[in-house]
Amino acid sequence: MSGALSNSDPFRSLLRTVSRPGVYVFYGRPGSFKTLSGLVLASMWRSGAFYVGLGKHAFYDSGRLSRLGLKFYGVLSFREELETLLELGILVNERDLIVYDGFGSLIFPLYAYPRGHVIYSAGTLVVSLLSKLSIDKRTTVIIVSGEGAEGRPLLFSVLRAYVRRYFWFVREGKLVRIIVKDAELSQVGTLRLDAGEVLEEAQSRGITKGL
């Protein structure tokens, strides 16, 4: 892990932890500040930053993100998702950041197909393309996803071959606990955020929750 975790300046700690190129996952239940934390990190990033909003996240205020210097993609179908990934392969530069929000939201509708392996194959394709971007362009990719069973991220079986670190966001009243896990989901650290301070930090950077 790059740098020690510090609760006195948790966003700087998060920034140091994801500074090494690779794929990282922020996951948790709705309202756990994972999207907002990803946007705060994107606003702090020294190189270029991209925000890809899938499904409901496609309706984020694109003008606000543009004013923050983020390049915004709103994606509403799996076909658009693949087209966006191919376009990112052209536009992303070395040391850029990609916040990929709503992972899996456009894949789960594929359950309508008779073959169960379609979900796994589609998810693997998406994550492998993101991983290739992180390797070829030396970029950081933060996948923002929901929480599945037993405290694991959704589609963990798809993610596990590609992800460097997991960050499990757990809301506990006015506090947010971020449990940092390695590639095998073993805990390697913890950060704590005050929900009010997160909102103040976001507001000071021109970000509103909006989701």
Side-chain angles (χ1 to χ4, degrees):
M1 187 179 300
S2 301
L5 296 174
S6 170
N7 285 299
S8 63
D9 196 347
F11 282 115
R12 292 289 176 191
S13 286
L14 279 175
L15 196 65
R16 287 193 298 269
T17 306
V18 302
S19 62
R20 184 178 176 186
V23 179
Y24 302 84
V25 173
F26 287 11
Y27 73 98
R29 295 181 179 179
S32 58
F33 291 99
K34 53 191 185 294
T35 288
L36 197 60
S37 296
L39 286 171
V40 169
L41 293 186
S43 72
M44 299 168 68
W45 203 256
R46 292 186 176 181
S47 302
F50 295 77
Y51 177 84
V52 180
L54 309 176
K56 69 176 184 178
H57 304 286
F59 300 101
Y60 201 87
D61 186 341
S62 58
R64 185 181 299 276
L65 294 183
S66 295
R67 289 191 293 274
L68 291 170
L70 277 66
K71 299 175 182 67
F72 173 78
Y73 289 86
V75 181
L76 293 172
S77 71
F78 185 61
R79 178 178 177 176
E80 288 181 13
E81 185 171 7
L82 295 181
E83 290 172 348
T84 298
L85 287 167
L86 293 175
E87 186 171 342
L88 288 173
I90 299 171
L91 297 178
V92 168
N93 295 312
E94 187 171 325
R95 296 293 181 180
D96 283 353
L97 169 69
I98 301 170
V99 177
Y100 201 81
D101 197 1
F103 172 71
S105 61
L106 302 179
I107 296 173
F108 284 117
L110 297 177
Y111 270 127
Y113 288 83
R115 296 182 179 88
H117 70 264
V118 170
I119 300 293
Y120 183 88
S121 298
T124 300
L125 176 59
V126 170
V127 181
S128 64
L129 288 172
L130 288 169
S131 177
K132 188 175 188 303
L133 264 175
S134 74
I135 295 169
D136 292 350
K137 298 295 185 78
R138 293 187 55 77
T139 61
T140 290
V141 177
I142 297 175
I143 294 174
V144 184
S145 184
E147 179 182 331
E150 300 178 352
R152 294 182 172 187
L154 293 174
L155 295 174
F156 172 65
S157 60
V158 168
L159 294 166
R160 65 185 306 171
Y162 302 95
V163 175
R164 184 183 298 278
R165 285 283 187 271
Y166 298 89
F167 299 80
W168 183 16
F169 285 68
V170 181
R171 182 77 178 268
E172 299 173 337
K174 294 182 179 180
L175 293 176
V176 179
R177 189 158 52 102
I178 304 174
I179 301 169
V180 186
K181 302 182 178 185
D182 65 14
E184 297 301 320
L185 290 184
S186 296
Q187 183 173 335
V188 294
T190 304
L191 284 170
R192 287 178 176 80
L193 300 173
D194 179 273
E197 291 178 358
V198 174
L199 292 172
E200 288 179 10
E201 180 74 23
Q203 186 175 10
S204 72
R205 295 180 176 276
I207 304 169
T208 54
K209 191 172 183 184
L211 294 173

